[in-house]
Amino acid sequence: MAKIIHMMVRVLDERRSLDFYARAFGLEPAERLPFDGFTLIYLRNRENDMELELTVNHDRTAPYTHGDGYGHMAVAVDELDGEHARFTALGFTVTPVKEFAPGGSLLARFFFVTDPDGYKIEVLQRHGRYR
C-alpha cells in the first residue's frame, strides 16, 4: 500500500514560515536541502510520521496565489478551545470555532488558521475519525 509521506507548500519568507509552523504546531525542520534556485525544508514533530515540505524559490519576490485548486491541510489537537485561544493570543488569523453536526450527531469541531502565505489549515478537535 502507498503511504503519504509529505505535503508541499510554496512559501515566500522562510524565517516567517518556520516561525509560524513552530509556534502553531510544534513543527521543526527535520532536514533542510538547499539547491541552486530553491530550498526544500521538511518539517515534523514527534506526533507525526508525515512531513510538511516548504519550498522556497530563491528569486521569488511576489506572494503566491492559490487559485481555486488549493483546499487545506488539517491537524488534530486534544484541546481545541485552548489552541484557539493560544493562536489568538499569538496574533494568528483564526476563524471562530465551528461545530459540524449533520443530523444532530457531532462529526467535527474545528477552526481554521491562516499561515503567513495565506494557506488555510484546519484545526480539529480529536474526535471520531479525526485522530
Side-chain angles (χ1 to χ4, degrees), residues 14-89:
E14 179 179 340
R15 284 191 185 146
R16 188 175 65 167
S17 293
L18 289 173
D19 180 64
F20 171 82
Y21 285 104
R23 291 191 305 147
F25 305 113
L27 295 174
E28 298 291 338
E31 189 165 16
R32 185 178 187 281
L33 303 171
F35 299 97
D36 289 339
F38 68 98
T39 299
L40 304 178
I41 304 134
Y42 293 93
L43 304 180
R44 68 179 318 141
N45 64 27
R46 67 176 183 261
E47 181 80 15
N48 292 294
D49 191 28
M50 183 178 155
E51 295 178 319
L52 177 61
E53 174 190 318
L54 304 181
T55 297
V56 181
N57 291 304
H58 300 162
D59 60 352
R60 182 74 180 207
T61 58
Y64 289 96
T65 60
H66 303 148
D68 60 2
Y70 177 77
H72 65 271
M73 180 174 72
V75 300
V77 298
D78 290 323
E79 180 31 57
L80 187 74
D81 296 313
E83 288 298 279
H84 189 272
R86 186 174 74 83
F87 284 17
T88 300

Side-chain angles (χ1 to χ4, degrees), residues 108-129:
R109 288 187 75 238
F110 63 94
F111 66 90
F112 283 88
V113 60
T114 304
D115 88 348
D117 291 279
Y119 294 106
K120 307 288 186 204
I121 302 157
E122 184 177 19
V123 182
L124 291 140
Q125 177 74 45
R126 287 189 206 277
H127 171 79
R129 73 173 329 277

